[in-house]
Amino acid sequence: MKIYNFAAGPAMLPESVMRKAQAEFIDYQGSGSGILELSHRGKFFQPVIDRAEANVREILNLSDDYAVLFIQGGASMQFAMLAMNFLNGGTADYVDTGVWSNKASKEAKMFGNVNVVASSRDDKYDHIPAQDQWKLTPGAAYMHITSNNTIAGTQYFNLPEAPAGVPLIADMSSDIMSRQFDASKFGMIYAGAQKNLGPAGVALVVLRKDLAERTDSTKVPTMLRYSTYIEDGSMFNTPPTFAIYLLALVTDWIKENGGLAGVEKMNNEKAKILYDFLDDSSFYSCPVKGLDRSRMNVVFRTPSDELDAKFVSEATAAGLTQLKGHRLVGGCRASIYNAMPVEGIVALVDFMKKFESANR
Ligand SMILES: *Cc1c(COP(=O)(O)O)cnc(C)c1O
Protein backbone atom coordinates (compact mmCIF):
# COMPACT_ATOMS: atom_id res chain seq x y z
CA MET A 1 0.00 0.00 0.00
CA LYS A 2 1.21 3.50 -0.83
CA ILE A 3 1.78 5.48 2.36
CA TYR A 4 1.34 9.24 2.53
CA ASN A 5 2.99 10.64 5.63
CA PHE A 6 1.45 13.88 6.94
CA ALA A 7 3.83 14.28 9.90
CA ALA A 8 4.56 17.80 11.13
CA GLY A 9 8.25 17.03 11.62
CA PRO A 10 10.40 15.12 11.19
CA ALA A 11 8.42 15.04 7.99
CA MET A 12 8.50 13.09 4.75
CA LEU A 13 11.36 13.66 2.32
CA PRO A 14 11.17 13.52 -1.48
CA GLU A 15 11.35 9.91 -2.61
CA SER A 16 14.19 10.56 -5.06
CA VAL A 17 16.24 12.07 -2.22
CA MET A 18 15.65 9.00 -0.04
CA ARG A 19 16.75 6.68 -2.85
CA LYS A 20 19.91 8.63 -3.55
CA ALA A 21 20.79 8.79 0.14
CA GLN A 22 20.18 5.06 0.41
CA ALA A 23 22.74 4.31 -2.28
CA GLU A 24 25.31 6.79 -1.00
CA PHE A 25 24.85 5.59 2.56
CA ILE A 26 26.89 2.50 1.68
CA ASP A 27 29.32 3.92 -0.88
CA TYR A 28 29.70 7.65 -1.39
CA GLN A 29 30.73 8.33 -4.99
CA GLY A 30 33.08 5.38 -5.27
CA SER A 31 35.03 6.28 -2.13
CA GLY A 32 34.38 2.81 -0.69
CA SER A 33 32.98 4.44 2.45
CA GLY A 34 29.46 5.63 3.23
CA ILE A 35 28.66 9.31 3.54
CA LEU A 36 28.47 9.00 7.34
CA GLU A 37 31.97 7.55 7.48
CA LEU A 38 33.81 10.33 5.69
CA SER A 39 35.90 13.00 7.42
CA HIS A 40 34.39 16.46 7.46
CA ARG A 41 37.86 17.76 6.56
CA GLY A 42 38.35 15.32 3.70
CA LYS A 43 38.00 15.80 -0.04
CA PHE A 44 34.52 14.28 -0.20
CA PHE A 45 32.67 16.31 2.43
CA GLN A 46 33.85 19.87 1.67
CA PRO A 47 32.11 19.87 -1.73
CA VAL A 48 28.93 18.64 -0.02
CA ILE A 49 28.74 21.54 2.45
CA ASP A 50 29.80 23.95 -0.30
CA ARG A 51 26.96 22.70 -2.48
CA ALA A 52 24.47 22.95 0.38
CA GLU A 53 25.49 26.57 0.90
CA ALA A 54 25.49 27.41 -2.81
CA ASN A 55 22.02 25.89 -3.21
CA VAL A 56 20.66 27.94 -0.29
CA ARG A 57 22.21 31.10 -1.76
CA GLU A 58 20.76 30.43 -5.18
CA ILE A 59 17.28 29.41 -4.01
CA LEU A 60 16.90 32.33 -1.57
CA ASN A 61 18.71 34.72 -3.92
CA LEU A 62 21.11 35.91 -1.19
CA SER A 63 23.66 38.63 -1.64
CA ASP A 64 27.23 38.40 -0.29
CA ASP A 65 26.07 40.43 2.71
CA TYR A 66 24.63 37.21 4.09
CA ALA A 67 26.27 34.19 5.68
CA VAL A 68 24.73 30.73 5.34
CA LEU A 69 25.36 28.69 8.50
CA PHE A 70 24.59 25.16 9.65
CA ILE A 71 24.23 24.93 13.40
CA GLN A 72 23.36 21.96 15.62
CA GLY A 73 20.62 22.10 18.21
CA GLY A 74 17.67 22.70 15.92
CA ALA A 75 15.48 25.79 15.85
CA SER A 76 15.03 25.66 19.61
CA MET A 77 18.67 26.41 20.26
CA GLN A 78 18.38 29.43 17.97
CA PHE A 79 15.70 30.83 20.30
CA ALA A 80 18.43 31.31 22.92
CA MET A 81 21.42 31.79 20.65
CA LEU A 82 20.02 34.75 18.74
CA ALA A 83 19.13 36.51 21.98
CA MET A 84 22.57 35.76 23.47
CA ASN A 85 24.22 37.29 20.44
CA PHE A 86 21.99 40.28 19.78
CA LEU A 87 20.03 41.28 22.85
CA ASN A 88 22.70 42.31 25.34
CA GLY A 89 20.32 43.71 27.96
CA GLY A 90 18.35 45.67 25.37
CA THR A 91 14.75 45.28 24.24
CA ALA A 92 13.51 43.02 21.47
CA ASP A 93 10.06 42.97 19.89
CA TYR A 94 8.26 39.62 19.58
CA VAL A 95 4.96 38.86 17.89
CA ASP A 96 3.09 36.15 19.79
CA THR A 97 1.43 33.84 17.29
CA GLY A 98 1.59 30.57 19.18
CA VAL A 99 3.61 27.97 21.01
CA TRP A 100 6.83 28.42 19.07
CA SER A 101 6.95 32.20 19.26
CA ASN A 102 6.28 31.88 22.99
CA LYS A 103 9.17 29.52 23.42
CA ALA A 104 11.39 31.90 21.48
CA SER A 105 10.49 34.91 23.62
CA LYS A 106 10.87 32.93 26.84
CA GLU A 107 14.50 32.24 26.02
CA ALA A 108 15.11 35.85 25.05
CA LYS A 109 13.95 37.05 28.47
CA MET A 110 17.12 35.61 29.95
CA PHE A 111 19.20 38.11 28.01
CA GLY A 112 17.16 41.29 28.03
CA ASN A 113 13.66 42.71 27.76
CA VAL A 114 10.98 41.26 25.59
CA ASN A 115 8.20 43.47 24.31
CA VAL A 116 5.29 41.42 22.99
CA VAL A 117 4.06 43.81 20.30
CA ALA A 118 0.93 41.82 19.46
CA SER A 119 -0.68 38.51 20.34
CA SER A 120 -3.53 36.35 19.08
CA ARG A 121 -3.50 34.23 22.25
CA ASP A 122 -7.00 35.33 23.33
CA ASP A 123 -8.36 33.94 20.07
CA LYS A 124 -6.53 30.63 20.44
CA TYR A 125 -4.06 31.81 17.82
CA ASP A 126 -6.59 31.50 14.99
CA HIS A 127 -5.08 34.44 13.08
CA ILE A 128 -2.00 36.62 12.67
CA PRO A 129 -2.48 39.95 14.53
CA ALA A 130 -3.10 42.86 12.14
CA GLN A 131 0.21 44.57 11.52
CA ASP A 132 -1.10 48.13 11.81
CA GLN A 133 -1.89 47.39 15.47
CA TRP A 134 1.62 46.30 16.46
CA LYS A 135 3.23 48.48 19.10
CA LEU A 136 6.86 48.46 18.02
CA THR A 137 9.77 49.61 20.19
CA PRO A 138 11.85 52.37 18.58
CA GLY A 139 15.49 51.26 18.43
CA ALA A 140 14.74 47.64 19.39
CA ALA A 141 17.67 45.21 19.23
CA TYR A 142 15.62 43.20 16.73
CA MET A 143 12.07 42.18 15.88
CA HIS A 144 11.09 38.50 15.88
CA ILE A 145 8.30 36.69 14.06
CA THR A 146 7.34 33.05 13.45
CA SER A 147 6.47 33.02 9.76
CA ASN A 148 4.46 29.80 9.89
CA ASN A 149 2.81 28.50 13.02
CA THR A 150 3.12 24.76 12.78
CA ILE A 151 0.73 23.99 15.64
CA ALA A 152 -1.93 26.69 15.19
CA GLY A 153 -1.93 26.38 11.40
CA THR A 154 -1.44 30.06 10.59
CA GLN A 155 1.05 31.74 8.26
CA TYR A 156 2.07 35.26 7.33
CA PHE A 157 1.21 36.06 3.73
CA ASN A 158 2.25 39.64 4.18
CA LEU A 159 5.71 39.52 5.70
CA PRO A 160 6.19 42.59 7.92
CA GLU A 161 8.77 45.32 7.67
CA ALA A 162 10.77 46.21 10.76
CA PRO A 163 11.37 49.90 11.53
CA ALA A 164 14.50 51.34 9.92
CA GLY A 165 17.64 50.06 11.60
CA VAL A 166 15.88 47.22 13.42
CA PRO A 167 16.85 43.76 12.10
CA LEU A 168 13.89 41.53 11.32
CA ILE A 169 14.41 37.95 12.49
CA ALA A 170 12.16 35.08 11.46
CA ASP A 171 11.74 31.53 12.63
CA MET A 172 10.87 29.93 9.29
CA SER A 173 11.20 26.34 10.50
CA SER A 174 7.99 25.15 8.94
CA ASP A 175 7.77 27.22 5.77
CA ILE A 176 11.34 27.86 4.70
CA MET A 177 11.74 27.43 0.92
CA SER A 178 8.03 26.82 0.43
CA ARG A 179 7.30 30.10 -1.37
CA GLN A 180 8.92 33.16 -2.88
CA PHE A 181 9.88 36.01 -0.57
CA ASP A 182 12.45 38.78 -0.35
CA ALA A 183 15.22 37.53 1.94
CA SER A 184 16.98 40.90 1.82
CA LYS A 185 14.32 42.29 4.17
CA PHE A 186 15.62 40.07 6.96
CA GLY A 187 18.52 40.40 9.35
CA MET A 188 18.31 36.71 10.12
CA ILE A 189 16.27 33.70 9.09
CA TYR A 190 16.50 30.38 10.85
CA ALA A 191 14.86 27.01 10.42
CA GLY A 192 15.12 23.56 11.94
CA ALA A 193 15.69 21.31 8.94
CA GLN A 194 13.20 18.54 9.69
CA LYS A 195 10.15 20.09 8.04
CA ASN A 196 11.17 21.33 4.62
CA LEU A 197 14.92 20.81 4.36
CA GLY A 198 16.05 17.43 5.64
CA PRO A 199 16.58 15.63 8.93
CA ALA A 200 16.25 16.88 12.51
CA GLY A 201 19.20 18.23 14.46
CA VAL A 202 20.58 20.94 12.23
CA ALA A 203 19.29 24.47 11.82
CA LEU A 204 19.84 26.51 8.71
CA VAL A 205 20.74 30.08 9.67
CA VAL A 206 20.90 32.89 7.14
CA LEU A 207 22.48 35.90 8.79
CA ARG A 208 23.38 39.38 7.61
CA LYS A 209 27.09 39.31 8.38
CA ASP A 210 27.37 42.74 9.97
CA LEU A 211 25.01 41.62 12.76
CA ALA A 212 27.56 39.08 13.98
CA GLU A 213 29.76 42.01 15.02
CA ARG A 214 27.19 43.01 17.64
CA THR A 215 28.03 39.99 19.79
CA ASP A 216 30.10 40.54 22.92
CA SER A 217 32.68 37.81 22.38
CA THR A 218 33.88 38.02 25.97
CA LYS A 219 30.46 36.90 27.21
CA VAL A 220 29.17 34.42 24.65
CA PRO A 221 30.83 30.99 24.44
CA THR A 222 32.65 30.10 21.23
CA MET A 223 30.14 27.51 20.06
CA LEU A 224 27.25 29.91 20.63
CA ARG A 225 28.66 32.84 18.66
CA TYR A 226 27.57 33.33 15.07
CA SER A 227 31.00 34.76 14.26
CA THR A 228 32.56 31.34 15.00
CA TYR A 229 30.37 29.71 12.38
CA ILE A 230 31.07 32.46 9.87
CA GLU A 231 34.85 32.31 10.37
CA ASP A 232 35.07 28.52 10.24
CA GLY A 233 32.52 27.78 7.52
CA SER A 234 30.24 26.06 10.07
CA MET A 235 33.14 23.69 10.85
CA PHE A 236 34.69 24.95 14.07
CA ASN A 237 33.97 21.46 15.33
CA THR A 238 32.59 18.37 13.60
CA PRO A 239 29.37 19.49 11.94
CA PRO A 240 26.30 17.22 11.57
CA THR A 241 27.59 15.86 8.28
CA PHE A 242 24.69 13.57 7.43
CA ALA A 243 22.12 16.30 8.04
CA ILE A 244 24.05 18.77 5.88
CA TYR A 245 24.44 16.14 3.16
CA LEU A 246 20.69 15.54 3.10
CA LEU A 247 20.03 19.27 3.06
CA ALA A 248 22.23 19.44 -0.05
CA LEU A 249 20.13 16.71 -1.67
CA VAL A 250 16.82 18.32 -0.72
CA THR A 251 17.92 21.71 -2.03
CA ASP A 252 19.10 20.02 -5.27
CA TRP A 253 15.56 18.67 -5.51
CA ILE A 254 14.03 22.13 -4.94
CA LYS A 255 16.16 23.50 -7.77
CA GLU A 256 15.09 20.64 -10.05
CA ASN A 257 11.48 21.51 -9.24
CA GLY A 258 11.70 25.11 -10.36
CA GLY A 259 13.08 26.73 -7.20
CA LEU A 260 10.79 28.76 -4.98
CA ALA A 261 8.45 29.67 -7.84
CA GLY A 262 8.01 26.00 -8.70
CA VAL A 263 7.40 24.72 -5.19
CA GLU A 264 5.14 27.66 -4.36
CA LYS A 265 2.90 26.79 -7.27
CA MET A 266 2.66 23.16 -6.12
CA ASN A 267 2.07 24.19 -2.52
CA ASN A 268 -0.70 26.62 -3.44
CA GLU A 269 -2.40 23.97 -5.52
CA LYS A 270 -2.17 21.39 -2.73
CA ALA A 271 -3.48 23.73 -0.02
CA LYS A 272 -6.32 24.92 -2.23
CA ILE A 273 -7.62 21.39 -2.80
CA LEU A 274 -7.71 20.73 0.92
CA TYR A 275 -9.13 24.07 2.08
CA ASP A 276 -11.76 24.13 -0.67
CA PHE A 277 -12.90 20.73 0.49
CA LEU A 278 -12.97 21.82 4.15
CA ASP A 279 -14.97 24.95 3.30
CA ASP A 280 -17.54 22.96 1.33
CA SER A 281 -17.99 20.45 4.11
CA SER A 282 -20.46 20.71 6.99
CA PHE A 283 -18.80 17.75 8.71
CA TYR A 284 -15.21 18.98 8.92
CA SER A 285 -14.23 22.43 10.12
CA CYS A 286 -11.07 24.52 10.07
CA PRO A 287 -10.57 26.81 13.10
CA VAL A 288 -8.20 29.19 11.31
CA LYS A 289 -9.33 32.49 9.77
CA GLY A 290 -9.36 32.39 5.97
CA LEU A 291 -6.63 34.87 5.11
CA ASP A 292 -4.02 33.49 7.50
CA ARG A 293 -4.42 29.79 6.79
CA SER A 294 -1.12 27.99 6.57
CA ARG A 295 -0.27 26.28 3.30
CA MET A 296 2.05 23.96 5.20
CA ASN A 297 0.03 22.79 8.21
CA VAL A 298 -3.70 22.39 7.69
CA VAL A 299 -5.57 21.97 10.98
CA PHE A 300 -9.12 20.66 11.00
CA ARG A 301 -11.69 18.86 13.11
CA THR A 302 -14.56 16.45 12.75
CA PRO A 303 -17.74 17.09 14.82
CA SER A 304 -16.30 15.48 18.01
CA ASP A 305 -13.09 14.44 19.78
CA GLU A 306 -14.20 10.81 19.49
CA LEU A 307 -14.60 11.12 15.73
CA ASP A 308 -11.23 12.90 15.49
CA ALA A 309 -9.59 9.89 17.11
CA LYS A 310 -11.51 7.46 14.91
CA PHE A 311 -10.57 9.52 11.84
CA VAL A 312 -6.87 9.41 12.68
CA SER A 313 -6.88 5.70 13.33
CA GLU A 314 -8.86 4.74 10.21
CA ALA A 315 -6.80 7.09 8.06
CA THR A 316 -3.63 5.39 9.30
CA ALA A 317 -5.07 2.02 8.34
CA ALA A 318 -5.78 3.45 4.87
CA GLY A 319 -2.13 4.54 4.46
CA LEU A 320 -2.59 8.20 5.45
CA THR A 321 -0.36 8.48 8.48
CA GLN A 322 0.46 10.96 11.29
CA LEU A 323 -2.70 13.06 10.96
CA LYS A 324 -3.21 13.56 14.69
CA GLY A 325 -3.23 17.21 15.78
CA HIS A 326 -0.55 18.53 18.12
CA ARG A 327 -1.05 17.30 21.69
CA LEU A 328 -1.62 20.87 22.92
CA VAL A 329 -4.52 21.61 20.57
CA GLY A 330 -6.01 18.23 19.64
CA GLY A 331 -8.04 17.70 16.47
CA CYS A 332 -6.35 16.70 13.23
CA ARG A 333 -3.52 18.22 11.23
CA ALA A 334 -2.26 17.49 7.75
CA SER A 335 1.27 18.79 7.27
CA ILE A 336 1.80 19.21 3.56
CA TYR A 337 5.34 20.43 3.16
CA ASN A 338 7.21 20.65 -0.15
CA ALA A 339 7.80 16.90 -0.36
CA MET A 340 4.12 15.95 -0.14
CA PRO A 341 2.92 15.23 -3.68
CA VAL A 342 -0.48 16.45 -4.88
CA GLU A 343 -1.52 12.77 -5.10
CA GLY A 344 -1.26 12.63 -1.31
CA ILE A 345 -3.76 15.47 -0.95
CA VAL A 346 -6.13 13.87 -3.43
CA ALA A 347 -5.92 10.58 -1.52
CA LEU A 348 -6.58 12.40 1.76
CA VAL A 349 -9.65 14.25 0.45
CA ASP A 350 -10.94 11.02 -1.01
CA PHE A 351 -10.61 9.32 2.36
CA MET A 352 -12.22 12.29 4.13
CA LYS A 353 -15.27 12.03 1.90
CA LYS A 354 -15.66 8.33 2.63
CA PHE A 355 -15.18 8.88 6.35
CA GLU A 356 -17.80 11.59 6.32
CA SER A 357 -20.46 9.47 4.62
CA ALA A 358 -19.81 6.57 6.99
CA ASN A 359 -19.98 8.75 10.11
CA ARG A 360 -22.33 11.64 9.61
C1 LIG B 1 9.46 22.49 14.74
C2 LIG B 1 9.58 23.91 15.05
C3 LIG B 1 10.54 24.40 15.95
C4 LIG B 1 11.43 23.48 16.76
O1 LIG B 1 12.41 22.91 16.00
P1 LIG B 1 13.52 21.99 16.69
O2 LIG B 1 14.46 21.72 15.57
O3 LIG B 1 12.82 20.77 17.20
O4 LIG B 1 14.14 22.75 17.79
C5 LIG B 1 10.63 25.75 16.13
N1 LIG B 1 9.83 26.60 15.47
C6 LIG B 1 8.89 26.18 14.60
C7 LIG B 1 8.03 27.16 13.89
C8 LIG B 1 8.74 24.82 14.37
O5 LIG B 1 7.80 24.39 13.51
Side-chain angles (χ1 to χ4, degrees), residues 223-261:
M223 281 292 286
L224 294 169
R225 292 200 296 267
Y226 291 110
S227 55
T228 303
Y229 292 81
I230 295 176
E231 282 156 25
D232 293 316
S234 299
M235 291 211 275
F236 172 79
N237 74 331
T238 317
T241 55
F242 193 56
I244 293 168
Y245 159 77
L246 269 166
L247 193 145
L249 291 187
V250 171
T251 48
D252 283 345
W253 177 86
I254 291 174
K255 281 166 49 182
E256 286 157 19
N257 282 278
L260 295 190

Side-chain angles (χ1 to χ4, degrees), residues 29-331:
Q29 301 193 349
S31 66
S33 293
I35 180 72
L36 273 83
E37 303 172 303
L38 293 165
S39 166
H40 58 298
R41 310 274 179 210
K43 69 168 179 173
F44 288 100
F45 187 71
Q46 189 65 51
V48 171
I49 192 167
D50 290 347
R51 192 171 94 240
E53 174 175 344
N55 283 352
V56 172
R57 286 190 178 283
E58 182 182 331
I59 292 167
L60 297 181
N61 193 18
L62 300 176
S63 77
D64 289 340
D65 294 342
Y66 288 86
V68 173
L69 311 173
F70 304 103
I71 304 181
Q72 305 203 40
S76 298
M77 200 178 76
Q78 292 307 307
F79 296 162
M81 187 167 163
L82 70 91
M84 274 176 121
N85 279 262
F86 305 135
L87 197 43
N88 252 328
T91 298
D93 284 349
Y94 278 74
V95 185
D96 174 25
T97 50
V99 173
W100 294 115
S101 52
N102 259 297
K103 287 192 170 174
S105 63
K106 200 169 154 219
E107 296 299 304
K109 282 180 190 148
M110 295 189 210
F111 304 98
N113 306 311
V114 165
N115 177 26
V116 176
V117 300
S119 173
S120 47
R121 178 192 292 257
D122 291 347
D123 299 307
K124 296 197 173 123
Y125 297 117
D126 67 354
H127 67 283
I128 303 287
Q131 292 179 29
D132 54 5
Q133 311 288 314
W134 297 4
K135 299 189 182 67
L136 303 176
T137 309
Y142 58 84
M143 174 175 136
H144 182 280
I145 63 161
T146 311
S147 59
N148 183 74
N149 297 281
T150 325
I151 296 171
T154 60
Q155 187 175 17
Y156 285 80
F157 290 100
N158 199 353
L159 287 164
E161 305 256 352
V166 177
L168 176 60
I169 299 184
D171 175 0
M172 292 198 182
S173 292
S174 50
D175 70 348
I176 184 96
M177 295 195 191
S178 69
R179 56 169 166 176
Q180 294 171 282
F181 73 100
D182 182 358
S184 73
K185 293 225 154 80
F186 291 83
M188 172 174 155
I189 295 163
Y190 64 100
Q194 68 273 26
K195 279 99 186 201
N196 252 340
L197 299 175
V202 71
L204 168 67
V205 174
V206 171
L207 179 67
R208 220 177 64 213
K209 286 180 206 158
D210 63 286
L211 296 177
E213 289 157 24
R214 298 190 183 185
T215 305
D216 181 348
S217 60
T218 64
K219 290 204 185 121
V220 181
T222 310
M223 281 292 286
L224 294 169
R225 292 200 296 267
Y226 291 110
S227 55
T228 303
Y229 292 81
I230 295 176
E231 282 156 25
D232 293 316
S234 299
M235 291 211 275
F236 172 79
N237 74 331
T238 317
T241 55
F242 193 56
I244 293 168
Y245 159 77
L246 269 166
L247 193 145
L249 291 187
V250 171
T251 48
D252 283 345
W253 177 86
I254 291 174
K255 281 166 49 182
E256 286 157 19
N257 282 278
L260 295 190
V263 290
E264 175 171 347
K265 190 161 170 280
M266 290 193 299
N267 288 331
N268 287 350
E269 187 190 338
K270 281 151 47 185
K272 185 171 187 325
I273 295 172
L274 201 42
Y275 283 121
D276 281 354
F277 172 73
L278 288 171
D279 284 341
D280 281 347
S281 167
S282 55
F283 182 80
Y284 300 98
S285 59
C286 172
V288 180
K289 294 268 185 329
L291 288 174
D292 298 331
R293 287 175 171 178
S294 169
R295 293 180 192 156
M296 296 281 101
N297 308 97
V298 179
V299 293
F300 59 94
R301 291 179 176 276
T302 69
S304 72
D305 292 348
E306 292 69 34
L307 280 172
D308 285 347
K310 190 175 180 215
F311 175 87
V312 170
S313 110
E314 291 185 9
T316 307
L320 306 165
T321 65
Q322 310 208 52
L323 282 161
K324 194 170 186 306
H326 191 277
R327 64 197 147 80
L328 293 175
V329 296

